[in-house]
Amino acid sequence: MGFLSVVANGLSMGAIYGLIALGLTLIFGIMKIINFAQGALLMLSMMISYWLWAATGLSPYVLIIIVAPIMFVVGYLCERVLIKPVLDAQKDVREPVSVLLLTAALAIVLENLALMVFGADYVMAKTSFSDVTLAFGPVTVSAARFYGLIIALVVAGLFYLFLMYSQTGRNLRATGQDRNAASLMGIDITRTYAIAFGIGTALLSVAAVALIPFYYIHPSVGQVFMTKAFIVVVLGGLGSVPGALLGGIIIGLIESIAAQYMTATLTVILVYAVFLLVLFTKPSGIFGSPYEW
Amino acid sequence: MTGININKNSVILAVLVVLLLLLPMVVTKPYYLHVIIICLLWAYLASCWNIIGGFAGQLSLGHGIYTAIGAYITVILFNTFGLSPWLGLFVGGGAAILLSLMIGYPTFGLRGAYYALATVAISEGIVVLLNNTGSIGRFTVGGAEGLIVKSVGSSAAAFQFNSKIPYYYIVLIMLFLIIFIAKWIKESKLGYYLVALREDEDAAAAMGINVRHNKLIAGAISAFFTALGGVFYAMLIRYLEPNAIAGASMSTQMVFLAIVGGSGTVLGPVIGGILLALISEIIRFYLGGQLMGLHLFIYGMIVLLMIIYQPRGIIELFEKIGRRFSRKHNDEGGRSGAEDPSGA
């Protein structure tokens, strides 16, 4: 594989990492909660997408229209039913640690539920383009990865526009900057929190449909992506939207380029090493400011 | 607080200690004793985590690296040089302190979430390293196959016993030790500093508390004792497997137990550790062989519901019962208003 092809593969995987990290960074930026269920919710999205794909035979990408609203509702309800009561009980606490643990417990519940319902088998959506490779001059890239890259970039762009220019987006940003001031301006904080969690989860459904044509699905698939998403958000700056995408792409590129020169294990170690390097030298990440929140 | 009350509590405490000391005479089946040992070990580990996670409010999600470093260094020294684990544990504990300082120094200057994420990433990285390191020079690390503790038969000097009873008493002493240390920290100047910086870091710094310094001290104490827990685990199970000793399940379990019990209190993590570990063992015993994932699903649901309905921990329930009891007691005696002095 030529160097440019390696770069293209890294870009596509990186953009998907970025998309997953985007949900994480959004929920953190607004609610100050690290969502440990992010990986498990990704797994759930992948399972639902796979199911729908197997049942309908439609292109996985078309399924976004169905899966994204489902995941939005799942996220919205998670916030309302599980997180809000705990947040309310801990109003006087600065960093709601219990909520974080709650999401971790939710992850255990979801993963084992999937294990009970689907079993431990590995499945993948074998679509018509799963084995197709596209060639752009000297660059060859797998079709599924290429489409994944396009979808991830388009959705990230749309999400950015939504956050910057829609009224809901403004509400979200205002709540993230100063919850009390936003509340005084008439923003319904309870609703905004639920929406933030819903959108953060819906973004995962996009990553899920982009992944299923070329990535195996199993009950603990989320764990792999969650650790990556953590690294990505610290790299890009916790709470920063462009940081999440850029951080994801950096990690994707490091992985695919390093894999050409060293063993898979060393590649993983290298990713952690880069993470530590950033943490030690510029701990607030590329776009983040440690004192924003 | 009255003299009668103090006496009543010390009587309860004394009875409890005597009961715990006599327990191996009642519980003779090794399996049951093993379950009790595991529960006490979890109570111990949750208490260790509580020093940095509860008292100082720094959410470490990678405490598994300290159990791992303590266990691995002690076992490697024992396997290669025959160094007694009783001495090796100081080397392992010292290495854990060093590691905690290396992680804490850059991250403690930042807000809490960075520390939490850094601990997750570092511990995942160490799991990968352990899984892929067969040996370093003449030291066998074992890689993914795990590391077996060289068996020398029943030998107190080598921390190896054929009976479970010595392990029971050792873990009991460890648990008493960590409760004593936690109580001491909570009542010392360090404890007050930690509470201050947990509640409001800026205000604490403004009052002249060296925030990073105190976090590092709490982190080092926590790391050292967590490493001792790892050594105990290694000598009890006599087999180290990277995912079990350093993985996410080890790290998050400590946090779950402490928070469900009541983080930031002295006895909360002990109660949470014993109760939740016991529940987990019981579910595993009855449901483990059946539908895959069922016992962990139920376990997760229990934790989930406890966090929602009892966010301040089980200890709060105990305190409420204790208060009601002492109020009733005092009303009968014609006195009122005495706070429960056992409120850890």
Side-chain angles (χ1 to χ4, degrees):
Chain A
M1 204 162 22
F3 185 74
L4 284 175
S5 310
V6 172
V7 169
N9 264 319
L11 273 178
S12 72
M13 209 56 205
I16 292 171
Y17 290 155
L19 211 52
I20 298 163
L22 210 55
L24 198 66
T25 212
L26 172 78
I27 292 168
F28 184 83
I30 289 154
M31 306 172 69
K32 309 291 175 263
I33 294 166
I34 305 171
N35 179 20
F36 273 84
Q38 194 81 354
L41 287 166
L42 173 73
M43 180 272 301
L44 186 70
S45 307
M46 287 172 84
M47 293 266 178
I48 294 175
S49 312
Y50 175 80
W51 242 13
L52 285 171
W53 170 81
T56 61
L58 289 169
S59 156
Y61 306 135
V62 179
L63 293 175
I64 293 181
I65 306 164
I66 310 166
V67 186
I70 293 176
M71 289 315 290
F72 179 83
V73 172
V74 168
Y76 194 94
L77 289 179
C78 274
E79 206 284 331
R80 271 296 167 90
V81 178
L82 301 175
I83 295 172
K84 189 176 174 294
V86 181
L87 266 186
D88 286 349
Q90 298 228 308
K91 264 215 169 85
D92 51 333
V93 182
R94 259 165 67 107
E95 280 182 45
V97 172
S98 293
V99 181
L100 205 150
L101 262 292
L102 181 84
T103 61
L106 179 65
I108 293 182
V109 169
L110 286 177
E111 274 173 17
N112 287 286
L113 187 67
L115 198 60
M116 282 156 63
V117 177
F118 295 94
D121 295 336
Y122 284 50
V123 290
M124 184 163 67
K126 281 272 173 217
T127 55
S128 54
F129 54 85
S130 276
D131 296 323
V132 177
T133 334
L134 302 176
F136 305 93
V139 186
T140 53
V141 60
S142 113
R145 283 170 182 262
F146 179 72
Y147 298 147
L149 170 66
I150 302 293
I151 289 170
L153 290 180
V154 168
V155 170
L158 286 176
F159 173 69
Y160 189 72
L161 292 178
F162 163 78
L163 207 55
M164 295 316 276
Y165 299 109
S166 77
Q167 186 55 47
T168 315
R170 271 192 283 270
N171 289 354
L172 286 170
R173 281 186 293 133
T175 310
Q177 275 168 17
D178 191 331
R179 190 187 348 172
N180 295 332
S183 179
L184 288 173
M185 296 300 127
I187 294 171
D188 182 349
I189 300 296
T190 311
R191 196 167 153 269
T192 310
Y193 271 18
I195 289 176
F197 210 87
I199 294 176
T201 315
L203 282 171
L204 290 174
S205 68
V206 181
V209 294
L211 278 171
I212 56 165
F214 68 92
Y215 208 94
Y216 280 104
I217 308 160
H218 53 98
S220 50
V221 67
Q223 289 173 6
V224 182
F225 286 98
M226 201 173 64
T227 318
K228 294 263 166 63
F230 283 166
I231 294 176
V232 166
V233 290
V234 171
L235 204 60
L238 207 45
S240 155
V241 170
L245 200 61
L246 191 69
I249 288 173
I250 291 173
I251 294 296
L253 284 177
I254 292 174
E255 274 186 355
S256 72
I257 295 171
Q260 299 298 306
Y261 303 103
M262 50 181 86
T263 62
T265 313
L266 276 178
T267 311
V268 179
I269 301 286
L270 183 71
V271 171
Y272 289 114
V274 169
F275 165 77
L276 285 182
L277 194 72
V278 172
L279 199 66
F280 278 70
T281 51
K282 193 171 185 320
S284 50
I286 303 166
F287 282 97
S289 146
Y291 300 110
E292 245 169 24
W293 40 279
Chain B
M1 217 187 280
T2 61
I4 296 163
N5 247 332
I6 289 173
N7 284 338
K8 196 180 74 193
N9 275 299
S10 32
V11 167
I12 292 173
L13 196 70
V15 170
L16 205 66
V17 169
V18 170
L19 282 180
L20 281 170
L21 287 174
L22 294 178
L23 195 77
M25 299 187 179
V26 186
V27 183
T28 43
K29 259 193 166 172
Y31 171 72
Y32 291 128
L33 199 55
H34 182 80
V35 169
I36 293 170
I37 292 169
I38 293 289
C39 290
L40 294 180
L41 178 62
W42 279 120
Y44 169 84
L45 288 173
S47 301
C48 294
W49 178 86
N50 188 43
I51 292 170
I52 184 73
F55 291 162
Q58 301 303 304
L59 191 64
S60 165
L61 297 165
H63 252 50
I65 53 179
Y66 303 129
T67 48
I69 198 165
Y72 268 95
I73 287 185
T74 307
V75 172
I76 289 170
L77 287 177
F78 176 69
N79 281 356
T80 351
F81 302 117
L83 181 72
S84 165
W86 296 107
L87 298 173
L89 62 85
F90 289 104
V91 185
I97 291 178
L98 267 181
L99 189 63
S100 84
L101 296 179
M102 274 165 59
I103 297 168
Y105 193 77
T107 47
F108 277 153
L110 296 155
R111 296 289 187 210
Y114 276 100
Y115 178 65
L117 290 180
T119 53
V120 173
I122 290 168
S123 74
E124 293 289 323
I126 286 188
V127 173
V128 175
L129 264 180
L130 282 176
N131 264 321
N132 291 286
T133 312
S135 58
I136 307 167
R138 56 181 290 209
F139 303 108
T140 311
V141 183
E145 287 119 65
L147 183 61
I148 295 167
V149 179
K150 201 185 273 174
S151 181
V152 293
S154 208
S155 151
F159 207 139
Q160 292 188 14
F161 307 97
N162 288 334
S163 157
K164 293 277 179 203
I165 296 171
Y167 290 108
Y168 172 77
Y169 285 114
I170 291 168
V171 77
L172 199 62
I173 292 168
M174 284 166 72
L175 186 59
F176 282 136
L177 181 70
I178 198 76
I179 293 173
F180 178 76
I181 288 169
K183 201 167 159 50
W184 175 74
I185 290 176
K186 198 166 172 78
E187 285 162 3
S188 72
K189 214 174 206 175
L190 174 65
Y192 287 103
Y193 286 164
L194 294 178
V195 172
L197 66 87
R198 176 184 73 198
E199 298 302 331
D200 193 332
E201 220 176 286
D202 299 327
M207 298 299 287
I209 298 173
N210 188 336
V211 171
R212 185 182 285 189
H213 181 75
N214 283 296
K215 282 183 190 173
L216 284 174
I217 291 177
I221 295 173
S222 176
F224 179 79
F225 286 102
T226 308
L228 298 198
V231 175
F232 179 83
Y233 175 92
M235 301 321 287
L236 177 72
I237 310 287
R238 298 198 202 157
Y239 169 68
L240 294 178
E241 201 266 320
N243 295 318
I245 186 107
S249 57
M250 170 65 92
S251 301
T252 43
Q253 179 82 336
M254 275 184 238
V255 190
F256 275 146
L257 300 174
I259 300 229
V260 167
S263 75
T265 64
V266 173
L267 289 178
V270 179
I271 294 172
I274 292 175
L275 276 184
L276 217 54
L278 197 62
I279 291 173
S280 157
E281 285 292 331
I282 292 170
I283 309 173
R284 199 208 312 253
F285 185 74
Y286 286 107
L287 301 172
Q290 296 175 23
L291 189 57
M292 221 182 349
L294 181 62
H295 74 278
L296 276 175
F297 173 75
I298 295 175
Y299 176 72
M301 285 301 278
I302 292 173
V303 175
L304 204 67
L305 293 174
M306 280 195 184
I307 295 173
I308 293 175
Y309 292 108
Q310 198 57 47
R312 281 170 204 283
I314 308 172
I315 185 108
E316 201 193 35
L317 280 179
F318 277 75
E319 279 171 358
K320 254 184 218 158
I321 295 165
R323 254 200 297 278
R324 192 166 300 160
F325 179 75
S326 71
R327 192 177 303 140
K328 207 169 145 194
H329 185 81
N330 287 332
D331 284 349
E332 279 166 1
R335 240 181 283 116
S336 64
E339 276 290 298
D340 174 31
S342 71

